[in-house]
């Protein structure tokens, strides 16, 4: 069955960097659009960045220029490099895989930006 496993979250000071990774199994990874979403306490889950099967990336305005999404189809992984982190980036970050009606989520990894 499909499984997405995130890693790389943690506590970082404002202005710092973190790299999140998501390892996928049980899916034809190269066919899927992969993405990162986040959910802060009391807020709805929101899109952070996506990387579709055709190589097109998309970012939320709030992270443009600071975050970079990448994927490795040979390793079935998708990563999110987060630079210049701000306290408002604090959230649980979720990996997502989507192909037509099929959508899968990871368990989430906590990112906390605080001094």
């Amino acid at each position: 069955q499909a499984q997405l496993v995130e890693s790389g979250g943690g506590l970082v000071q404002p202005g710092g960097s973190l790299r999140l990774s998501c390892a996928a199994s049980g899916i034809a990874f190269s066919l899927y659009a992969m993405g990162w979403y986040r959910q802060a306490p009391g807020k709805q889950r929101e899109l952070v960045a996506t990387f579709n099967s055709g190589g097109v990336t998309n970012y939320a305005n709030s992270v443009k220029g600071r975050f970079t999404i990448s994927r490795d189809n040979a390793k079935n992984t998708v990563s999110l490099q987060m630079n210049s982190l701000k306290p408002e980036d604090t959230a649980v970050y979720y990996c997502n895989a989507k192909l037509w009606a099929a959508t899968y989520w990871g368990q989430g990894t906590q990112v906390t930006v605080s001094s």
Side-chain angles (χ1 to χ4, degrees):
Q1 68 277 20
Q3 188 174 21
L4 304 177
V5 179
E6 301 102 334
S7 61
L11 173 65
V12 63
Q13 293 186 341
S17 298
L18 278 176
R19 185 177 181 85
L20 306 182
S21 294
C22 171
S25 59
I27 61 173
F29 182 84
S30 63
L31 300 180
Y32 278 72
M34 300 301 299
W36 289 94
Y37 291 72
R38 67 187 181 187
Q39 187 166 19
K43 295 188 176 182
Q44 289 188 330
R45 191 172 297 188
E46 63 176 4
L47 179 147
V48 176
T50 60
F51 198 140
N52 72 13
S53 59
V56 177
T57 58
N58 180 51
Y59 295 90
N61 287 334
S62 59
V63 308
K64 280 182 181 177
R66 300 188 297 122
F67 290 12
T68 303
I69 188 171
S70 60
R71 65 187 292 167
D72 186 334
N73 288 342
K75 296 182 178 179
N76 289 4
T77 58
V78 60
S79 299
L80 185 69
Q81 178 66 42
M82 305 185 294
N83 299 328
S84 302
L85 283 160
K86 305 176 181 180
E88 51 264 42
D89 294 318
T90 295
V92 178
Y93 284 69
Y94 296 91
C95 179
N96 173 266
K98 187 178 301 183
L99 177 62
W100 300 106
T103 300
Y104 303 102
W105 294 94
Q107 82 286 354
T109 185
Q110 176 70 47
V111 171
T112 302
V113 185
S114 175
S115 55

